[in-house]
Amino acid sequence: QKEVEQNSGPLSVPEGAIASLNCTYSDRGSQSFFWYRQYSGKSPELIMFIYSNGDKEDGRFTAQLNKASQYVSLLIRDSQPSDSATYLCAVAGNQFYFGTGTSLTVIP
Amino acid sequence: DAGVIQSPRHEVTEMGQEVTLRCKPISGHDYLFWYRQTMMRGLELLIYFNNNVPIDDSGMPEDRFSAKMPNASFSTLKIQPSEPRDSAVYFCASSLASTGGFYIQYFGAGTRLSVL
């Protein structure tokens, strides 16, 4: 079992819809959770991080964490074509692991 | 600040040759990370430094890989000898831990390595 698992996608949503990206992790001792966005041919950039159970909102982005279920998600409201990218989930505990990413395409 | 600077952006070499990748972290950052990204394995942490000292190199795939950080503004990742399976994009990232940002990492543009 991989330490961090994500559906590779591709996930396609129409412009204006909500995109939901999911991530599960295996280390119950993980404390910090991160979402990075990576455009094709570019480097990852941090867009959200969350440490506590519940929701954390930042503009159109909401990160959700459920430590009991070892699950973290990223919701993108009012999706835009510029949101089309690969989204990487990263988890920090005893080690720091990235998932392999979910490719999102927002269709105009 | 110019961000994390990596060189070269692209490297094409033949199997058996030595490859050296270079990184200049963001000024003032105290952590530096080297990653490798492939389609199959995703983004893998190879090694990281704190204040120029290697802290965890458990991700370095084998003895052919070595990394150094001689000062706060420069690090190298060396592969000797290189093999086709080393072909990947190598990223350098830096962070500032003092404000709780150890994992808030800023990535360089990456070096795309092709070993023929």
PDB file of all heavy atoms in Angstrom, chain A residues 37-51:
ATOM      1  N   ARG A  37      -0.428  22.349  -6.491  1.00  0.00           N
ATOM      2  CA  ARG A  37      -0.923  22.366  -7.867  1.00  0.00           C
ATOM      3  C   ARG A  37       0.298  22.378  -8.794  1.00  0.00           C
ATOM      4  O   ARG A  37       1.261  23.117  -8.559  1.00  0.00           O
ATOM      5  CB  ARG A  37      -1.773  23.614  -8.112  1.00  0.00           C
ATOM      6  CG  ARG A  37      -2.284  23.785  -9.527  1.00  0.00           C
ATOM      7  CD  ARG A  37      -3.181  25.024  -9.622  1.00  0.00           C
ATOM      8  NE  ARG A  37      -2.450  26.236  -9.286  1.00  0.00           N
ATOM      9  CZ  ARG A  37      -3.027  27.379  -8.928  1.00  0.00           C
ATOM     10  NH1 ARG A  37      -4.335  27.464  -8.831  1.00  0.00           N
ATOM     11  NH2 ARG A  37      -2.284  28.439  -8.649  1.00  0.00           N
ATOM     12  N   GLN A  38       0.230  21.571  -9.843  1.00  0.00           N
ATOM     13  CA  GLN A  38       1.331  21.509 -10.793  1.00  0.00           C
ATOM     14  C   GLN A  38       0.781  21.597 -12.210  1.00  0.00           C
ATOM     15  O   GLN A  38       0.107  20.680 -12.687  1.00  0.00           O
ATOM     16  CB  GLN A  38       2.144  20.216 -10.610  1.00  0.00           C
ATOM     17  CG  GLN A  38       3.395  20.159 -11.459  1.00  0.00           C
ATOM     18  CD  GLN A  38       4.264  18.946 -11.177  1.00  0.00           C
ATOM     19  OE1 GLN A  38       3.794  17.928 -10.667  1.00  0.00           O
ATOM     20  NE2 GLN A  38       5.550  19.048 -11.499  1.00  0.00           N
ATOM     21  N   TYR A  39       1.067  22.700 -12.875  1.00  0.00           N
ATOM     22  CA  TYR A  39       0.704  22.835 -14.272  1.00  0.00           C
ATOM     23  C   TYR A  39       1.675  22.010 -15.106  1.00  0.00           C
ATOM     24  O   TYR A  39       2.818  21.771 -14.708  1.00  0.00           O
ATOM     25  CB  TYR A  39       0.754  24.301 -14.706  1.00  0.00           C
ATOM     26  CG  TYR A  39      -0.327  25.160 -14.086  1.00  0.00           C
ATOM     27  CD1 TYR A  39      -0.010  26.177 -13.187  1.00  0.00           C
ATOM     28  CD2 TYR A  39      -1.656  24.967 -14.391  1.00  0.00           C
ATOM     29  CE1 TYR A  39      -0.985  26.978 -12.622  1.00  0.00           C
ATOM     30  CE2 TYR A  39      -2.655  25.755 -13.826  1.00  0.00           C
ATOM     31  CZ  TYR A  39      -2.307  26.753 -12.941  1.00  0.00           C
ATOM     32  OH  TYR A  39      -3.291  27.534 -12.377  1.00  0.00           O
ATOM     33  N   SER A  40       1.210  21.586 -16.269  1.00  0.00           N
ATOM     34  CA  SER A  40       2.011  20.739 -17.139  1.00  0.00           C
ATOM     35  C   SER A  40       3.357  21.393 -17.456  1.00  0.00           C
ATOM     36  O   SER A  40       3.403  22.550 -17.902  1.00  0.00           O
ATOM     37  CB  SER A  40       1.246  20.464 -18.438  1.00  0.00           C
ATOM     38  OG  SER A  40       2.005  19.660 -19.312  1.00  0.00           O
ATOM     39  N   GLY A  41       4.416  20.678 -17.193  1.00  0.00           N
ATOM     40  CA  GLY A  41       5.755  21.173 -17.480  1.00  0.00           C
ATOM     41  C   GLY A  41       6.295  22.168 -16.474  1.00  0.00           C
ATOM     42  O   GLY A  41       7.374  22.728 -16.675  1.00  0.00           O
ATOM     43  N   LYS A  42       5.548  22.389 -15.404  1.00  0.00           N
ATOM     44  CA  LYS A  42       5.969  23.363 -14.385  1.00  0.00           C
ATOM     45  C   LYS A  42       6.239  22.657 -13.066  1.00  0.00           C
ATOM     46  O   LYS A  42       6.093  21.448 -12.940  1.00  0.00           O
ATOM     47  CB  LYS A  42       4.885  24.424 -14.200  1.00  0.00           C
ATOM     48  CG  LYS A  42       4.524  25.175 -15.471  1.00  0.00           C
ATOM     49  CD  LYS A  42       5.703  25.980 -15.996  1.00  0.00           C
ATOM     50  CE  LYS A  42       5.301  26.815 -17.193  1.00  0.00           C
ATOM     51  NZ  LYS A  42       6.463  27.563 -17.749  1.00  0.00           N
ATOM     52  N   SER A  43       6.652  23.439 -12.076  1.00  0.00           N
ATOM     53  CA  SER A  43       6.954  22.872 -10.772  1.00  0.00           C
ATOM     54  C   SER A  43       5.733  22.969  -9.856  1.00  0.00           C
ATOM     55  O   SER A  43       4.837  23.773 -10.083  1.00  0.00           O
ATOM     56  CB  SER A  43       8.142  23.610 -10.151  1.00  0.00           C
ATOM     57  OG  SER A  43       7.884  24.996 -10.073  1.00  0.00           O
ATOM     58  N   PRO A  44       5.680  22.117  -8.823  1.00  0.00           N
ATOM     59  CA  PRO A  44       4.560  22.187  -7.883  1.00  0.00           C
ATOM     60  C   PRO A  44       4.553  23.507  -7.109  1.00  0.00           C
ATOM     61  O   PRO A  44       5.611  24.054  -6.792  1.00  0.00           O
ATOM     62  CB  PRO A  44       4.832  21.012  -6.931  1.00  0.00           C
ATOM     63  CG  PRO A  44       5.770  20.114  -7.668  1.00  0.00           C
ATOM     64  CD  PRO A  44       6.600  21.015  -8.512  1.00  0.00           C
ATOM     65  N   GLU A  45       3.357  24.000  -6.801  1.00  0.00           N
ATOM     66  CA  GLU A  45       3.211  25.176  -5.965  1.00  0.00           C
ATOM     67  C   GLU A  45       2.157  24.896  -4.914  1.00  0.00           C
ATOM     68  O   GLU A  45       1.105  24.321  -5.212  1.00  0.00           O
ATOM     69  CB  GLU A  45       2.859  26.415  -6.785  1.00  0.00           C
ATOM     70  CG  GLU A  45       1.580  26.304  -7.566  1.00  0.00           C
ATOM     71  CD  GLU A  45       1.202  27.587  -8.278  1.00  0.00           C
ATOM     72  OE1 GLU A  45       1.538  28.685  -7.768  1.00  0.00           O
ATOM     73  OE2 GLU A  45       0.568  27.499  -9.349  1.00  0.00           O
ATOM     74  N   LEU A  46       2.426  25.312  -3.695  1.00  0.00           N
ATOM     75  CA  LEU A  46       1.515  25.061  -2.587  1.00  0.00           C
ATOM     76  C   LEU A  46       0.282  25.947  -2.708  1.00  0.00           C
ATOM     77  O   LEU A  46       0.390  27.150  -2.918  1.00  0.00           O
ATOM     78  CB  LEU A  46       2.226  25.339  -1.265  1.00  0.00           C
ATOM     79  CG  LEU A  46       1.399  25.109  -0.004  1.00  0.00           C
ATOM     80  CD1 LEU A  46       1.141  23.620   0.188  1.00  0.00           C
ATOM     81  CD2 LEU A  46       2.110  25.681   1.212  1.00  0.00           C
ATOM     82  N   ILE A  47      -0.907  25.336  -2.576  1.00  0.00           N
ATOM     83  CA  ILE A  47      -2.124  26.131  -2.607  1.00  0.00           C
ATOM     84  C   ILE A  47      -2.891  26.071  -1.295  1.00  0.00           C
ATOM     85  O   ILE A  47      -3.620  27.010  -0.960  1.00  0.00           O
ATOM     86  CB  ILE A  47      -3.041  25.736  -3.788  1.00  0.00           C
ATOM     87  CG1 ILE A  47      -3.364  24.243  -3.785  1.00  0.00           C
ATOM     88  CG2 ILE A  47      -2.417  26.150  -5.111  1.00  0.00           C
ATOM     89  CD1 ILE A  47      -4.414  23.857  -4.812  1.00  0.00           C
ATOM     90  N   MET A  48      -2.788  24.973  -0.553  1.00  0.00           N
ATOM     91  CA  MET A  48      -3.522  24.857   0.707  1.00  0.00           C
ATOM     92  C   MET A  48      -2.762  23.940   1.656  1.00  0.00           C
ATOM     93  O   MET A  48      -2.087  23.015   1.217  1.00  0.00           O
ATOM     94  CB  MET A  48      -4.900  24.228   0.489  1.00  0.00           C
ATOM     95  CG  MET A  48      -5.922  25.070  -0.237  1.00  0.00           C
ATOM     96  SD  MET A  48      -6.636  26.350   0.807  1.00  0.00           S
ATOM     97  CE  MET A  48      -7.625  25.373   1.948  1.00  0.00           C
ATOM     98  N   PHE A  49      -2.907  24.187   2.954  1.00  0.00           N
ATOM     99  CA  PHE A  49      -2.462  23.223   3.937  1.00  0.00           C
ATOM    100  C   PHE A  49      -3.468  23.197   5.077  1.00  0.00           C
ATOM    101  O   PHE A  49      -4.179  24.189   5.331  1.00  0.00           O
ATOM    102  CB  PHE A  49      -1.050  23.519   4.449  1.00  0.00           C
ATOM    103  CG  PHE A  49      -0.884  24.865   5.097  1.00  0.00           C
ATOM    104  CD1 PHE A  49      -1.120  25.037   6.451  1.00  0.00           C
ATOM    105  CD2 PHE A  49      -0.464  25.961   4.351  1.00  0.00           C
ATOM    106  CE1 PHE A  49      -0.946  26.274   7.051  1.00  0.00           C
ATOM    107  CE2 PHE A  49      -0.292  27.200   4.941  1.00  0.00           C
ATOM    108  CZ  PHE A  49      -0.539  27.352   6.296  1.00  0.00           C
ATOM    109  N   ILE A  50      -3.555  22.056   5.746  1.00  0.00           N
ATOM    110  CA  ILE A  50      -4.517  21.893   6.832  1.00  0.00           C
ATOM    111  C   ILE A  50      -3.912  20.989   7.882  1.00  0.00           C
ATOM    112  O   ILE A  50      -3.236  20.007   7.557  1.00  0.00           O
ATOM    113  CB  ILE A  50      -5.869  21.348   6.274  1.00  0.00           C
ATOM    114  CG1 ILE A  50      -6.923  21.282   7.375  1.00  0.00           C
ATOM    115  CG2 ILE A  50      -5.685  19.991   5.599  1.00  0.00           C
ATOM    116  CD1 ILE A  50      -8.344  21.053   6.827  1.00  0.00           C
ATOM    117  N   TYR A  51      -4.137  21.332   9.141  1.00  0.00           N
ATOM    118  CA  TYR A  51      -3.571  20.559  10.238  1.00  0.00           C
ATOM    119  C   TYR A  51      -4.640  19.925  11.121  1.00  0.00           C
ATOM    120  O   TYR A  51      -4.390  18.916  11.779  1.00  0.00           O
ATOM    121  CB  TYR A  51      -2.684  21.451  11.126  1.00  0.00           C
ATOM    122  CG  TYR A  51      -1.531  22.113  10.413  1.00  0.00           C
ATOM    123  CD1 TYR A  51      -1.118  23.397  10.780  1.00  0.00           C
ATOM    124  CD2 TYR A  51      -0.836  21.469   9.401  1.00  0.00           C
ATOM    125  CE1 TYR A  51      -0.049  24.005  10.145  1.00  0.00           C
ATOM    126  CE2 TYR A  51       0.235  22.082   8.756  1.00  0.00           C
ATOM    127  CZ  TYR A  51       0.624  23.353   9.134  1.00  0.00           C
ATOM    128  OH  TYR A  51       1.683  23.961   8.502  1.00  0.00           O
TER     129      TYR A  51
END
